[in-house]
Amino acid sequence: MDQAVGKFVRELETAVKIGEPTSASQEEQRNILANLLGLDPAFRQLVLLDSQERGLAKVSRLSQAASGSLVDRAGGDWFAQVKQGNRYISPVYVDDVTSEPMMIVAVPTTDVFGDFQGILLAEVNLKFMWDLVDRLEVGDTGLAYVVDRQGDLIAFGDISRVLKGDNVSHLDLV
């Protein structure tokens, strides 16, 4: 899972470095976000915030009513963490509407001098992991699964166990 998450972080950081979205016009900001949304089908929503946590631009694969506030969904101290130049990766959560695993990834945006200018925030759909694990065969009797750092199932052949929130941290391998 770390490799997949790393891919999303790199895509966001590349967009920030190349596009310098916080200094772009509103139209250019929307274009940068729309291009990112088109680049990777796992991106579900993207939001660009300024240094005061105000929204500059937003794109989403969801309807206006269904998209909700990604900033509110992130919760906690993520803004302070990213403002200090760190990446933020949320715990995995299951979407209330689609029942698919999701996470939020945030990276700082800076100017040419490296000064903090804002944040690029993305909601990432992790359903591709379900599809991948479903296709894996591990010997004759083996099982493939993906867990988060807490041991919660994210992907497993029996999706109902993922949706129930099964935790397998008690297993020696986990």
Side-chain angles (χ1 to χ4, degrees), residues 40-169:
D40 197 321
F43 288 134
R44 188 164 85 162
Q45 296 184 71
L46 294 154
V47 176
L48 180 64
L49 304 171
D50 67 11
S51 61
Q52 304 302 310
E53 203 176 337
R54 292 182 301 245
L56 298 174
K58 175 182 177 179
V59 295
S60 176
R61 295 186 193 283
L62 305 172
S63 70
Q64 190 81 15
S67 66
S69 174
L70 189 55
V71 173
D72 292 341
R73 172 60 108 167
D77 66 343
W78 68 271
F79 189 83
Q81 182 179 330
V82 179
K83 193 172 185 175
Q84 294 173 358
N86 300 311
R87 303 166 177 163
Y88 170 77
I89 300 169
S90 78
V92 175
Y93 60 92
V94 176
D95 182 74
D96 297 333
V97 176
T98 64
S99 296
E100 295 173 339
M102 309 293 288
M103 75 178 349
I104 295 174
V105 178
V107 298
T109 64
T110 58
D111 61 16
V112 294
F113 303 108
D115 296 327
F116 177 77
Q117 297 297 307
I119 292 176
L120 180 55
L121 194 64
E123 185 176 40
V124 181
N125 186 324
L126 301 175
K127 184 182 178 297
F128 70 91
M129 286 188 198
W130 287 1
D131 301 333
L132 177 65
V133 167
D134 195 41
R135 290 191 302 259
L136 288 176
E137 293 183 19
V138 184
D140 292 332
T141 60
L143 297 172
Y145 53 91
V146 179
V147 298
D148 64 13
R149 294 184 194 278
Q150 291 75 37
D152 294 326
L153 278 176
I154 296 171
F156 184 63
D158 181 358
I159 298 302
S160 67
R161 293 189 61 186
V162 175
L163 296 175
K164 280 193 314 188
D166 278 4
N167 184 291
V168 293
S169 60

Side-chain angles (χ1 to χ4, degrees), residues 11-21 108-110:
E11 289 173 350
L12 295 176
E13 288 176 338
T14 300
V16 165
K17 286 178 186 168
I18 293 173
E20 296 184 19
T109 64
T110 58

Side-chain angles (χ1 to χ4, degrees), residues 31-45:
N31 286 338
I32 290 167
L33 297 185
N35 288 337
L36 255 176
L37 198 64
L39 174 70
D40 197 321
F43 288 134
R44 188 164 85 162
Q45 296 184 71

